[in-house]
Amino acid sequence: MTHHRSKRTDLGLLALRAGVGGTLFAHGAQKLFGWFGGYGLEATGGAMESMGFTPGKRSALMAGLGEAGGGAALALGLATPVAGAAAAATMTTAGTVHGPAGFWVTDGGFEYNAVLATVGSALAVAGPGRYSLDHALGHKLDKPWMAAVTLPLFGLAAAHVITQRRKAVAAAAAQQQTSDAEQVAAAEQAESTGA
């Protein structure tokens, strides 16, 4: 019974890793290479800059590496604690962009990001299972302590990026308000002088 359950668990972990890891890899490859209908590093960098991730190109590179690298490693079951933590941190950071829209993805919310971050965290803790490169390599890159170190470490990195983005968004909003106020004042001035 235990052996049967173990095989089922290993097959389930393989399916989960392959599905989520493949999805994350494709998502990152869109950013890095423009594959799968993506825009590549330059255009993604511009978009990320407009979302408050500065500098944009470096942010796109880091997000793309977190998604593509973490996703590929998860799919292969290689350095699973690190790969899962990278995926979780990247998806948590991405979720902040969607936060103002609420939870549901149908409303533009962070539901999708939350699911991928949760799965990345869970795989970092649970490990890859028997059908993985980690298992084939004798778990040299899959030690129990690695999840306890990498999840908080990558979490702190994500928190730093999120904080920097919030500051950039707030500064841009303040600058826009100042610009709008100046335009209103100029229009009122022109109207009062009859120009």
Side-chain angles (χ1 to χ4, degrees):
M1 180 78 153
T2 304
H3 180 67
H4 179 66
R5 184 172 304 279
S6 176
K7 273 190 169 182
R8 286 178 54 198
T9 301
D10 289 333
L11 285 170
L13 287 168
L14 173 62
L16 186 61
R17 286 189 357 257
V20 171
T23 298
L24 283 166
F25 171 79
H27 202 60
Q30 288 180 312
K31 289 178 177 64
L32 294 174
F33 314 116
W35 296 353
F36 310 112
Y39 298 105
L41 205 50
E42 290 293 328
T44 302
M48 291 191 78
E49 185 96 26
S50 72
M51 289 182 251
F53 293 104
T54 57
K57 187 172 179 181
R58 183 180 73 192
S59 297
L61 176 64
M62 297 307 291
L65 289 173
E67 293 166 358
L74 276 179
L76 296 169
L78 179 65
T80 303
V82 178
T90 304
M91 287 295 101
T92 299
T93 304
T96 63
V97 174
H98 302 279
F103 180 72
W104 302 112
V105 73
T106 51
D107 296 328
F110 62 92
E111 174 187 9
Y112 172 72
N113 306 105
V115 169
L116 293 177
T118 301
V119 172
S121 297
L123 286 170
V125 172
R130 180 185 242 355
Y131 307 116
S132 65
L133 287 180
D134 278 335
H135 181 75
L137 296 171
H139 296 279
K140 287 180 172 58
L141 302 173
D142 176 36
K143 303 291 184 193
W145 60 266
M146 292 175 133
V149 171
T150 57
L151 282 167
L153 187 64
F154 280 63
L156 286 172
H160 174 72
V161 172
I162 291 165
T163 300
Q164 295 303 106
R165 177 185 177 265
R166 285 188 177 143
K167 288 178 183 176
V169 168
Q175 187 176 19
Q176 184 62 48
Q177 282 183 332
T178 301
S179 175
D180 291 348
E182 288 171 353
Q183 287 178 1
V184 168
E188 287 174 351
Q189 173 92 18
E191 193 174 295
S192 68
T193 60

